Amino acid sequence: MSLLQDIISRFFKGSSSPKPTGTRPTTSAIKPARSVSAKELAIHLGIMAVLVIVFVLGFFFLYLPSSTNHNDIVEVPKITGMKLDQIVDILEEHDLRYEVQDSDYVSKLPPLTVITQYPAAGSQVKEDRKIFITVVAQNPPTVEMPDLKDFSLRSAQETLENFELSLGKVIYQPDSLHPNSVLGQQINGKAVEPGTRIAKHTQVDIVLGSLGDNKPFAVPNLIGRTMGEAESILMGLGLVKGTITPDTLGANATINKQVPGYVKGSTIRKGERINLWLSPPKPRPVKVAPAPVDSIPAPADSVQ
């Protein structure tokens, strides 16, 4: 800008009057100012325009890329399924960072295991990018222990499932006054009072009244039956529905495996568990209603 000001001042200097100084200058001391030609002005303005263009190009194509890691692209590694202390070194090797965005409790995974990540593995991101993760919570959420006293075995199991708990062992205790009714509830052999805070998905053992001794009987054959049918059979025999794999197929799923299995001579007692494996429900055959007799066309040779 100083160059432009100098050019403009030199251009208009000749038309300006000198300030009085008290002493009248002699005619020989005054030198006429040289006027700047249009060509020289154009040259100076062109130089300034070139400098501005160079500055703009340098800012956008040199400074910005170097300050924002424009060309430093890395691939996001897969960190799901790893513990939190394992992913630190892996992310540092890729010049990435992480932030725990959420946590959720999963009973089958160790605490602080990475469940989800964003961006996903294989994504192309800039260096120093932050990866947002969800990890398994260290402490499971808790619920109040329900009061199961005087419930039937079926009602007790349904209530536990509604509280996100599961039925453990069924301990039969002779009691002629309260047969097939819950007498108490336990966790790891210790009685648990209703209202006690316990971790979700905990197995709760119940004490059930019985009229006689818990004698062994033959293991039922559940192969080929639906899940709904199997639940009714287990309840009727006083057996416990164990682990269901997978547990998302519904009551119409077909049982293809059970443990303990149905083997000649194998026995089981009331209160013991049977684990089941399921297949997707079989499609039901579509029944086509027969056409009315009047709508069936007559043979061609019968038409008179």
mmCIF file of all heavy atoms in Angstrom, residues 145-186:
data_model
loop_
_atom_site.group_PDB
_atom_site.id
_atom_site.type_symbol
_atom_site.label_atom_id
_atom_site.label_comp_id
_atom_site.label_asym_id
_atom_site.label_seq_id
_atom_site.Cartn_x
_atom_site.Cartn_y
_atom_site.Cartn_z
ATOM 1 N N MET A 145 -35.243 -57.093 43.415
ATOM 2 C CA MET A 145 -35.653 -58.490 43.450
ATOM 3 C C MET A 145 -37.168 -58.561 43.661
ATOM 4 O O MET A 145 -37.690 -58.013 44.633
ATOM 5 C CB MET A 145 -34.928 -59.207 44.589
ATOM 6 C CG MET A 145 -35.331 -60.663 44.748
ATOM 7 S SD MET A 145 -34.758 -61.677 43.375
ATOM 8 C CE MET A 145 -35.908 -63.041 43.475
ATOM 9 N N PRO A 146 -37.909 -59.230 42.743
ATOM 10 C CA PRO A 146 -39.361 -59.331 42.937
ATOM 11 C C PRO A 146 -39.710 -60.339 44.031
ATOM 12 O O PRO A 146 -38.893 -61.183 44.399
ATOM 13 C CB PRO A 146 -39.851 -59.806 41.561
ATOM 14 C CG PRO A 146 -38.686 -60.555 40.987
ATOM 15 C CD PRO A 146 -37.458 -59.850 41.483
ATOM 16 N N ASP A 147 -40.909 -60.244 44.524
ATOM 17 C CA ASP A 147 -41.414 -61.178 45.538
ATOM 18 C C ASP A 147 -42.118 -62.324 44.812
ATOM 19 O O ASP A 147 -43.186 -62.140 44.225
ATOM 20 C CB ASP A 147 -42.377 -60.463 46.479
ATOM 21 C CG ASP A 147 -42.784 -61.342 47.663
ATOM 22 O OD1 ASP A 147 -42.333 -62.512 47.713
ATOM 23 O OD2 ASP A 147 -43.540 -60.864 48.522
ATOM 24 N N LEU A 148 -41.526 -63.526 44.846
ATOM 25 C CA LEU A 148 -42.053 -64.676 44.127
ATOM 26 C C LEU A 148 -42.812 -65.638 45.025
ATOM 27 O O LEU A 148 -43.299 -66.682 44.552
ATOM 28 C CB LEU A 148 -40.907 -65.433 43.437
ATOM 29 C CG LEU A 148 -40.033 -64.614 42.478
ATOM 30 C CD1 LEU A 148 -38.891 -65.467 41.954
ATOM 31 C CD2 LEU A 148 -40.866 -64.048 41.335
ATOM 32 N N LYS A 149 -42.940 -65.341 46.280
ATOM 33 C CA LYS A 149 -43.575 -66.275 47.218
ATOM 34 C C LYS A 149 -45.009 -66.563 46.803
ATOM 35 O O LYS A 149 -45.760 -65.669 46.405
ATOM 36 C CB LYS A 149 -43.558 -65.696 48.628
ATOM 37 C CG LYS A 149 -43.962 -66.705 49.698
ATOM 38 C CD LYS A 149 -43.813 -66.130 51.098
ATOM 39 C CE LYS A 149 -44.198 -67.164 52.145
ATOM 40 N NZ LYS A 149 -44.057 -66.624 53.522
ATOM 41 N N ASP A 150 -45.352 -67.886 46.867
ATOM 42 C CA ASP A 150 -46.676 -68.416 46.531
ATOM 43 C C ASP A 150 -46.946 -68.418 45.036
ATOM 44 O O ASP A 150 -48.057 -68.779 44.614
ATOM 45 C CB ASP A 150 -47.799 -67.659 47.254
ATOM 46 C CG ASP A 150 -47.709 -67.786 48.774
ATOM 47 O OD1 ASP A 150 -47.232 -68.843 49.241
ATOM 48 O OD2 ASP A 150 -48.091 -66.841 49.478
ATOM 49 N N PHE A 151 -45.963 -68.014 44.194
ATOM 50 C CA PHE A 151 -46.144 -68.095 42.753
ATOM 51 C C PHE A 151 -46.009 -69.550 42.307
ATOM 52 O O PHE A 151 -45.346 -70.355 42.944
ATOM 53 C CB PHE A 151 -45.106 -67.248 42.015
ATOM 54 C CG PHE A 151 -45.410 -65.778 41.979
ATOM 55 C CD1 PHE A 151 -46.197 -65.177 42.937
ATOM 56 C CD2 PHE A 151 -44.887 -64.981 40.976
ATOM 57 C CE1 PHE A 151 -46.466 -63.823 42.924
ATOM 58 C CE2 PHE A 151 -45.149 -63.626 40.938
ATOM 59 C CZ PHE A 151 -45.944 -63.045 41.906
ATOM 60 N N SER A 152 -46.637 -69.887 41.172
ATOM 61 C CA SER A 152 -46.372 -71.167 40.532
ATOM 62 C C SER A 152 -45.036 -71.092 39.809
ATOM 63 O O SER A 152 -44.472 -69.999 39.630
ATOM 64 C CB SER A 152 -47.486 -71.506 39.538
ATOM 65 O OG SER A 152 -47.471 -70.577 38.464
ATOM 66 N N LEU A 153 -44.527 -72.233 39.374
ATOM 67 C CA LEU A 153 -43.235 -72.255 38.678
ATOM 68 C C LEU A 153 -43.297 -71.414 37.406
ATOM 69 O O LEU A 153 -42.393 -70.632 37.123
ATOM 70 C CB LEU A 153 -42.837 -73.693 38.347
ATOM 71 C CG LEU A 153 -41.519 -73.873 37.586
ATOM 72 C CD1 LEU A 153 -40.349 -73.309 38.381
ATOM 73 C CD2 LEU A 153 -41.278 -75.348 37.265
ATOM 74 N N ARG A 154 -44.393 -71.537 36.636
ATOM 75 C CA ARG A 154 -44.516 -70.777 35.392
ATOM 76 C C ARG A 154 -44.577 -69.273 35.678
ATOM 77 O O ARG A 154 -43.889 -68.476 35.041
ATOM 78 C CB ARG A 154 -45.771 -71.213 34.627
ATOM 79 C CG ARG A 154 -46.000 -70.432 33.339
ATOM 80 C CD ARG A 154 -47.347 -70.785 32.748
ATOM 81 N NE ARG A 154 -47.373 -72.150 32.271
ATOM 82 C CZ ARG A 154 -47.009 -72.513 31.037
ATOM 83 N NH1 ARG A 154 -46.579 -71.602 30.181
ATOM 84 N NH2 ARG A 154 -47.074 -73.772 30.667
ATOM 85 N N SER A 155 -45.391 -68.875 36.665
ATOM 86 C CA SER A 155 -45.512 -67.447 36.983
ATOM 87 C C SER A 155 -44.196 -66.876 37.498
ATOM 88 O O SER A 155 -43.839 -65.736 37.185
ATOM 89 C CB SER A 155 -46.623 -67.238 38.021
ATOM 90 O OG SER A 155 -47.875 -67.641 37.517
ATOM 91 N N ALA A 156 -43.462 -67.669 38.291
ATOM 92 C CA ALA A 156 -42.186 -67.201 38.819
ATOM 93 C C ALA A 156 -41.191 -66.964 37.690
ATOM 94 O O ALA A 156 -40.476 -65.947 37.677
ATOM 95 C CB ALA A 156 -41.629 -68.220 39.807
ATOM 96 N N GLN A 157 -41.133 -67.871 36.705
ATOM 97 C CA GLN A 157 -40.190 -67.709 35.598
ATOM 98 C C GLN A 157 -40.572 -66.512 34.736
ATOM 99 O O GLN A 157 -39.704 -65.729 34.321
ATOM 100 C CB GLN A 157 -40.146 -68.981 34.746
ATOM 101 C CG GLN A 157 -39.098 -68.930 33.637
ATOM 102 C CD GLN A 157 -38.863 -70.281 33.005
ATOM 103 O OE1 GLN A 157 -39.591 -71.233 33.255
ATOM 104 N NE2 GLN A 157 -37.824 -70.375 32.187
ATOM 105 N N GLU A 158 -41.844 -66.332 34.461
ATOM 106 C CA GLU A 158 -42.278 -65.180 33.653
ATOM 107 C C GLU A 158 -41.979 -63.869 34.364
ATOM 108 O O GLU A 158 -41.564 -62.888 33.728
ATOM 109 C CB GLU A 158 -43.775 -65.305 33.358
ATOM 110 C CG GLU A 158 -44.123 -66.438 32.404
ATOM 111 C CD GLU A 158 -45.619 -66.581 32.207
ATOM 112 O OE1 GLU A 158 -46.374 -65.903 32.955
ATOM 113 O OE2 GLU A 158 -46.036 -67.351 31.317
ATOM 114 N N THR A 159 -42.176 -63.833 35.692
ATOM 115 C CA THR A 159 -41.892 -62.610 36.446
ATOM 116 C C THR A 159 -40.412 -62.285 36.423
ATOM 117 O O THR A 159 -40.019 -61.114 36.244
ATOM 118 C CB THR A 159 -42.369 -62.761 37.904
ATOM 119 O OG1 THR A 159 -43.774 -63.046 37.913
ATOM 120 C CG2 THR A 159 -42.096 -61.485 38.691
ATOM 121 N N LEU A 160 -39.571 -63.294 36.578
ATOM 122 C CA LEU A 160 -38.122 -63.059 36.522
ATOM 123 C C LEU A 160 -37.711 -62.516 35.158
ATOM 124 O O LEU A 160 -36.884 -61.592 35.076
ATOM 125 C CB LEU A 160 -37.374 -64.365 36.823
ATOM 126 C CG LEU A 160 -37.449 -64.869 38.266
ATOM 127 C CD1 LEU A 160 -36.796 -66.251 38.383
ATOM 128 C CD2 LEU A 160 -36.769 -63.901 39.231
ATOM 129 N N GLU A 161 -38.276 -63.059 34.099
ATOM 130 C CA GLU A 161 -37.931 -62.579 32.758
ATOM 131 C C GLU A 161 -38.394 -61.140 32.552
ATOM 132 O O GLU A 161 -37.715 -60.358 31.879
ATOM 133 C CB GLU A 161 -38.541 -63.503 31.709
ATOM 134 C CG GLU A 161 -37.892 -64.890 31.675
ATOM 135 C CD GLU A 161 -38.596 -65.838 30.717
ATOM 136 O OE1 GLU A 161 -39.668 -65.458 30.182
ATOM 137 O OE2 GLU A 161 -38.082 -66.947 30.509
ATOM 138 N N ASN A 162 -39.538 -60.778 33.124
ATOM 139 C CA ASN A 162 -40.011 -59.393 33.016
ATOM 140 C C ASN A 162 -39.076 -58.423 33.729
ATOM 141 O O ASN A 162 -38.976 -57.252 33.343
ATOM 142 C CB ASN A 162 -41.419 -59.275 33.602
ATOM 143 C CG ASN A 162 -42.469 -59.957 32.736
ATOM 144 O OD1 ASN A 162 -42.269 -60.148 31.539
ATOM 145 N ND2 ASN A 162 -43.577 -60.343 33.350
ATOM 146 N N PHE A 163 -38.390 -58.896 34.779
ATOM 147 C CA PHE A 163 -37.426 -58.069 35.509
ATOM 148 C C PHE A 163 -36.010 -58.206 34.933
ATOM 149 O O PHE A 163 -35.050 -57.743 35.542
ATOM 150 C CB PHE A 163 -37.417 -58.467 36.992
ATOM 151 C CG PHE A 163 -38.509 -57.854 37.808
ATOM 152 C CD1 PHE A 163 -39.815 -58.323 37.730
ATOM 153 C CD2 PHE A 163 -38.254 -56.783 38.656
ATOM 154 C CE1 PHE A 163 -40.839 -57.758 38.482
ATOM 155 C CE2 PHE A 163 -39.258 -56.209 39.416
ATOM 156 C CZ PHE A 163 -40.562 -56.697 39.327
ATOM 157 N N GLU A 164 -35.893 -58.837 33.752
ATOM 158 C CA GLU A 164 -34.595 -59.074 33.093
ATOM 159 C C GLU A 164 -33.687 -59.918 33.980
ATOM 160 O O GLU A 164 -32.473 -59.691 34.050
ATOM 161 C CB GLU A 164 -33.920 -57.764 32.696
ATOM 162 C CG GLU A 164 -34.734 -56.965 31.682
ATOM 163 C CD GLU A 164 -33.988 -55.763 31.151
ATOM 164 O OE1 GLU A 164 -32.952 -55.937 30.485
ATOM 165 O OE2 GLU A 164 -34.441 -54.629 31.425
ATOM 166 N N LEU A 165 -34.290 -60.875 34.666
ATOM 167 C CA LEU A 165 -33.562 -61.879 35.436
ATOM 168 C C LEU A 165 -33.843 -63.233 34.803
ATOM 169 O O LEU A 165 -34.684 -63.352 33.907
ATOM 170 C CB LEU A 165 -34.004 -61.861 36.902
ATOM 171 C CG LEU A 165 -33.822 -60.524 37.649
ATOM 172 C CD1 LEU A 165 -34.536 -60.560 38.993
ATOM 173 C CD2 LEU A 165 -32.338 -60.221 37.847
ATOM 174 N N SER A 166 -33.150 -64.273 35.232
ATOM 175 C CA SER A 166 -33.381 -65.603 34.683
ATOM 176 C C SER A 166 -33.529 -66.619 35.809
ATOM 177 O O SER A 166 -33.009 -66.428 36.920
ATOM 178 C CB SER A 166 -32.236 -66.017 33.747
ATOM 179 O OG SER A 166 -31.008 -66.060 34.444
ATOM 180 N N LEU A 167 -34.262 -67.682 35.494
ATOM 181 C CA LEU A 167 -34.494 -68.732 36.475
ATOM 182 C C LEU A 167 -33.296 -69.661 36.527
ATOM 183 O O LEU A 167 -32.829 -70.156 35.488
ATOM 184 C CB LEU A 167 -35.760 -69.514 36.104
ATOM 185 C CG LEU A 167 -36.128 -70.682 37.002
ATOM 186 C CD1 LEU A 167 -36.385 -70.214 38.428
ATOM 187 C CD2 LEU A 167 -37.351 -71.413 36.446
ATOM 188 N N GLY A 168 -32.786 -69.882 37.715
ATOM 189 C CA GLY A 168 -31.666 -70.808 37.901
ATOM 190 C C GLY A 168 -32.167 -72.193 38.257
ATOM 191 O O GLY A 168 -32.979 -72.786 37.538
ATOM 192 N N LYS A 169 -31.746 -72.725 39.395
ATOM 193 C CA LYS A 169 -32.174 -74.051 39.833
ATOM 194 C C LYS A 169 -33.527 -73.973 40.526
ATOM 195 O O LYS A 169 -33.875 -72.959 41.119
ATOM 196 C CB LYS A 169 -31.142 -74.652 40.789
ATOM 197 C CG LYS A 169 -29.781 -74.883 40.169
ATOM 198 C CD LYS A 169 -28.829 -75.542 41.161
ATOM 199 C CE LYS A 169 -28.558 -74.642 42.363
ATOM 200 N NZ LYS A 169 -27.587 -75.249 43.302
ATOM 201 N N VAL A 170 -34.268 -75.070 40.423
ATOM 202 C CA VAL A 170 -35.510 -75.220 41.174
ATOM 203 C C VAL A 170 -35.254 -76.278 42.252
ATOM 204 O O VAL A 170 -34.971 -77.440 41.945
ATOM 205 C CB VAL A 170 -36.681 -75.635 40.272
ATOM 206 C CG1 VAL A 170 -37.947 -75.824 41.110
ATOM 207 C CG2 VAL A 170 -36.908 -74.598 39.186
ATOM 208 N N ILE A 171 -35.324 -75.862 43.496
ATOM 209 C CA ILE A 171 -35.041 -76.742 44.631
ATOM 210 C C ILE A 171 -36.375 -77.188 45.229
ATOM 211 O O ILE A 171 -37.123 -76.354 45.761
ATOM 212 C CB ILE A 171 -34.193 -76.016 45.687
ATOM 213 C CG1 ILE A 171 -32.914 -75.461 45.036
ATOM 214 C CG2 ILE A 171 -33.852 -76.936 46.850
ATOM 215 C CD1 ILE A 171 -32.164 -74.477 45.905
ATOM 216 N N TYR A 172 -36.660 -78.491 45.119
ATOM 217 C CA TYR A 172 -37.934 -79.001 45.625
ATOM 218 C C TYR A 172 -37.806 -79.324 47.105
ATOM 219 O O TYR A 172 -36.854 -79.976 47.544
ATOM 220 C CB TYR A 172 -38.366 -80.235 44.836
ATOM 221 C CG TYR A 172 -38.941 -79.871 43.482
ATOM 222 C CD1 TYR A 172 -38.101 -79.706 42.379
ATOM 223 C CD2 TYR A 172 -40.294 -79.666 43.314
ATOM 224 C CE1 TYR A 172 -38.621 -79.362 41.145
ATOM 225 C CE2 TYR A 172 -40.827 -79.326 42.072
ATOM 226 C CZ TYR A 172 -39.986 -79.177 41.000
ATOM 227 O OH TYR A 172 -40.502 -78.827 39.776
ATOM 228 N N GLN A 173 -38.774 -78.866 47.844
ATOM 229 C CA GLN A 173 -38.804 -79.066 49.291
ATOM 230 C C GLN A 173 -40.181 -79.622 49.680
ATOM 231 O O GLN A 173 -41.211 -79.047 49.312
ATOM 232 C CB GLN A 173 -38.549 -77.737 50.014
ATOM 233 C CG GLN A 173 -38.568 -77.831 51.521
ATOM 234 C CD GLN A 173 -38.222 -76.493 52.155
ATOM 235 O OE1 GLN A 173 -37.178 -75.904 51.842
ATOM 236 N NE2 GLN A 173 -39.074 -76.014 53.039
ATOM 237 N N PRO A 174 -40.208 -80.758 50.404
ATOM 238 C CA PRO A 174 -41.508 -81.334 50.789
ATOM 239 C C PRO A 174 -42.350 -80.320 51.569
ATOM 240 O O PRO A 174 -41.887 -79.740 52.549
ATOM 241 C CB PRO A 174 -41.119 -82.524 51.669
ATOM 242 C CG PRO A 174 -39.737 -82.876 51.229
ATOM 243 C CD PRO A 174 -39.079 -81.581 50.861
ATOM 244 N N ASP A 175 -43.566 -80.106 51.082
ATOM 245 C CA ASP A 175 -44.488 -79.184 51.751
ATOM 246 C C ASP A 175 -45.897 -79.510 51.254
ATOM 247 O O ASP A 175 -46.287 -79.105 50.160
ATOM 248 C CB ASP A 175 -44.130 -77.732 51.441
ATOM 249 C CG ASP A 175 -44.895 -76.742 52.321
ATOM 250 O OD1 ASP A 175 -46.075 -76.991 52.616
ATOM 251 O OD2 ASP A 175 -44.305 -75.720 52.706
ATOM 252 N N SER A 176 -46.650 -80.249 52.090
ATOM 253 C CA SER A 176 -47.977 -80.684 51.678
ATOM 254 C C SER A 176 -48.976 -79.541 51.650
ATOM 255 O O SER A 176 -50.018 -79.637 51.007
ATOM 256 C CB SER A 176 -48.476 -81.794 52.625
ATOM 257 O OG SER A 176 -48.510 -81.321 53.977
ATOM 258 N N LEU A 177 -48.705 -78.444 52.368
ATOM 259 C CA LEU A 177 -49.623 -77.307 52.402
ATOM 260 C C LEU A 177 -49.464 -76.379 51.201
ATOM 261 O O LEU A 177 -50.406 -75.673 50.837
ATOM 262 C CB LEU A 177 -49.421 -76.508 53.697
ATOM 263 C CG LEU A 177 -49.714 -77.258 55.003
ATOM 264 C CD1 LEU A 177 -49.408 -76.356 56.200
ATOM 265 C CD2 LEU A 177 -51.171 -77.725 55.041
ATOM 266 N N HIS A 178 -48.266 -76.350 50.617
ATOM 267 C CA HIS A 178 -48.009 -75.442 49.483
ATOM 268 C C HIS A 178 -47.335 -76.194 48.325
ATOM 269 O O HIS A 178 -46.223 -75.871 47.915
ATOM 270 C CB HIS A 178 -47.126 -74.272 49.916
ATOM 271 C CG HIS A 178 -47.666 -73.502 51.072
ATOM 272 N ND1 HIS A 178 -47.374 -73.818 52.381
ATOM 273 C CD2 HIS A 178 -48.517 -72.429 51.111
ATOM 274 C CE1 HIS A 178 -47.994 -72.963 53.186
ATOM 275 N NE2 HIS A 178 -48.702 -72.121 52.443
ATOM 276 N N PRO A 179 -48.007 -77.231 47.805
ATOM 277 C CA PRO A 179 -47.390 -77.967 46.699
ATOM 278 C C PRO A 179 -47.343 -77.117 45.431
ATOM 279 O O PRO A 179 -48.275 -76.360 45.134
ATOM 280 C CB PRO A 179 -48.309 -79.178 46.527
ATOM 281 C CG PRO A 179 -49.640 -78.715 47.039
ATOM 282 C CD PRO A 179 -49.326 -77.751 48.150
ATOM 283 N N ASN A 180 -46.204 -77.208 44.728
ATOM 284 C CA ASN A 180 -46.000 -76.484 43.463
ATOM 285 C C ASN A 180 -46.085 -74.967 43.632
ATOM 286 O O ASN A 180 -46.385 -74.248 42.674
ATOM 287 C CB ASN A 180 -47.009 -76.945 42.409
ATOM 288 C CG ASN A 180 -46.895 -78.421 42.106
ATOM 289 O OD1 ASN A 180 -45.783 -78.949 41.991
ATOM 290 N ND2 ASN A 180 -48.025 -79.098 41.993
ATOM 291 N N SER A 181 -45.819 -74.456 44.821
ATOM 292 C CA SER A 181 -45.786 -73.010 45.071
ATOM 293 C C SER A 181 -44.394 -72.616 45.543
ATOM 294 O O SER A 181 -43.703 -73.397 46.216
ATOM 295 C CB SER A 181 -46.821 -72.623 46.128
ATOM 296 O OG SER A 181 -48.131 -72.882 45.678
ATOM 297 N N VAL A 182 -43.994 -71.408 45.180
ATOM 298 C CA VAL A 182 -42.668 -70.918 45.564
ATOM 299 C C VAL A 182 -42.648 -70.656 47.063
ATOM 300 O O VAL A 182 -43.495 -69.919 47.595
ATOM 301 C CB VAL A 182 -42.307 -69.647 44.775
ATOM 302 C CG1 VAL A 182 -40.969 -69.080 45.260
ATOM 303 C CG2 VAL A 182 -42.255 -69.926 43.279
ATOM 304 N N LEU A 183 -41.642 -71.256 47.730
ATOM 305 C CA LEU A 183 -41.473 -71.058 49.174
ATOM 306 C C LEU A 183 -40.392 -70.034 49.489
ATOM 307 O O LEU A 183 -40.411 -69.421 50.567
ATOM 308 C CB LEU A 183 -41.122 -72.395 49.843
ATOM 309 C CG LEU A 183 -42.101 -73.552 49.608
ATOM 310 C CD1 LEU A 183 -41.579 -74.829 50.279
ATOM 311 C CD2 LEU A 183 -43.484 -73.197 50.118
ATOM 312 N N GLY A 184 -39.455 -69.830 48.571
ATOM 313 C CA GLY A 184 -38.368 -68.889 48.801
ATOM 314 C C GLY A 184 -37.556 -68.677 47.544
ATOM 315 O O GLY A 184 -37.741 -69.362 46.532
ATOM 316 N N GLN A 185 -36.648 -67.699 47.575
ATOM 317 C CA GLN A 185 -35.801 -67.356 46.425
ATOM 318 C C GLN A 185 -34.369 -67.159 46.897
ATOM 319 O O GLN A 185 -34.143 -66.576 47.957
ATOM 320 C CB GLN A 185 -36.333 -66.089 45.734
ATOM 321 C CG GLN A 185 -36.595 -64.943 46.690
ATOM 322 C CD GLN A 185 -37.713 -64.031 46.238
ATOM 323 O OE1 GLN A 185 -38.618 -64.428 45.498
ATOM 324 N NE2 GLN A 185 -37.669 -62.782 46.693
ATOM 325 N N GLN A 186 -33.412 -67.652 46.098
ATOM 326 C CA GLN A 186 -32.010 -67.660 46.517
ATOM 327 C C GLN A 186 -31.106 -67.248 45.354
ATOM 328 O O GLN A 186 -31.462 -67.405 44.177
ATOM 329 C CB GLN A 186 -31.589 -69.054 46.998
ATOM 330 C CG GLN A 186 -32.395 -69.606 48.151
ATOM 331 C CD GLN A 186 -31.956 -71.007 48.511
ATOM 332 O OE1 GLN A 186 -31.097 -71.607 47.856
ATOM 333 N NE2 GLN A 186 -32.555 -71.561 49.568
#
